[in-house]
Amino acid sequence: MATITVKPKDLVDGFEAAGGGNMPWQLIERGGARGLIVGGAGDIDFQVFAANGDSRGLVVAEVELYGMPHREIWLQGHKQGLYTLNFVSRTSGAVVFFMGVDVVNEVEVVAAFYYLPGVRKKFNVEQIVKKVNAIWNRSANVTIKSLGMFDEGLGQRLDINDPEISLNNTKHLSALIDYGNHASANWHVYLGWGVQGNIPGETLGSRTIIDTVRRKETELAFVSHTIAHELGHRICRAPPSHDTQTGDLMLEKTRDGTNNKIRRPRVRLVNRPTP
Ligand SMILES: [Zn+2]
């Protein structure tokens, strides 16, 4: 029998090839669809199995190709859930291959950004949000909705006299809450001052501080990358807090801010459909 191969039609984000004992895996936004190119499957019927028993939540549609060695199928995610797509041999009736499919709802993070007092280097928040969403959106169906940048905070003056801040310092934390605590936000991002420990950013619960003192004004991409990484901490529901493979967004240390991969284990820690 021909070897079955599965490749994404056009979007690599949210697709994981077979490897390391795992079958291929595809993430689909609820209401969205992803295309797959399937090779060696001339004898195959596709069959959906749902962890919650309702297999109608994932629909397989096939594009009729003429005279092609492969098949093109589109997986439409109608209902969030964990699915298995079985490849059933028409000849033997046996399942000869399978892959995992997660259909996930959108995780929307409503973010308020605040510049801390005295900051002169400023970055365009719309551009930051665009870059962060480009990393998270198609890989994990996570989207930031920005309430905007609040240059002077929202409440009191920032009552901190130390040169660098840390969220683990309870005085700093409560001063930051007094300074900016937008009632509609579930993520508060403070930019501009140095972060203790010479790290680019720090997150505790729903609050993040981003060091822009050590950044040049031209380093919008690096700052956006740091915010994307810290968003990972904001929404992660269980340990581990960092990943270890080359290119992972959630590497503990970044060299140049170009690592932005969000692989299946991380997706499942931030946006796992409940079966
Ligand atoms: Zn981190």
Side-chain angles (χ1 to χ4, degrees), residues 62-134:
E62 180 155 10
V63 178
E64 295 301 331
L65 303 175
Y66 180 72
M68 297 294 270
H70 60 262
R71 294 169 71 181
E72 178 180 333
I73 59 171
W74 282 80
L75 305 177
Q76 302 165 348
H78 290 298
K79 218 175 141 198
Q80 76 148 345
L82 298 163
Y83 300 89
T84 304
L85 182 66
N86 287 331
F87 294 48
V88 182
S89 163
R90 286 172 192 151
T91 317
S92 70
V95 175
V96 293
F97 191 86
F98 66 92
M99 62 180 288
V101 180
D102 290 9
V103 177
V104 295
N105 291 336
E106 183 177 56
V107 171
E108 188 183 78
V109 177
V110 182
F113 297 86
Y114 315 93
Y115 274 121
L116 298 180
V119 172
R120 277 191 228 107
K121 274 181 285 182
K122 293 192 172 170
F123 301 88
N124 182 305
V125 71
E126 279 90 38
Q127 284 180 37
I128 288 175
V129 168
K130 219 171 141 187
K131 283 180 186 296
V132 174
N133 281 340

Side-chain angles (χ1 to χ4, degrees), residues 28-50:
I28 307 175
E29 306 83 351
R30 183 171 60 80
R34 299 289 184 105
L36 296 173
I37 298 296
V38 184
D43 174 48
I44 294 298
D45 280 331
F46 299 101
Q47 182 190 67
V48 174
F49 176 83

Side-chain angles (χ1 to χ4, degrees), residues 229-230 233 241-242 250-252:
H229 177 98
E230 296 306 320
H233 290 311
S241 52
H242 288 108
M250 296 310 289
L251 285 177
E252 190 154 15

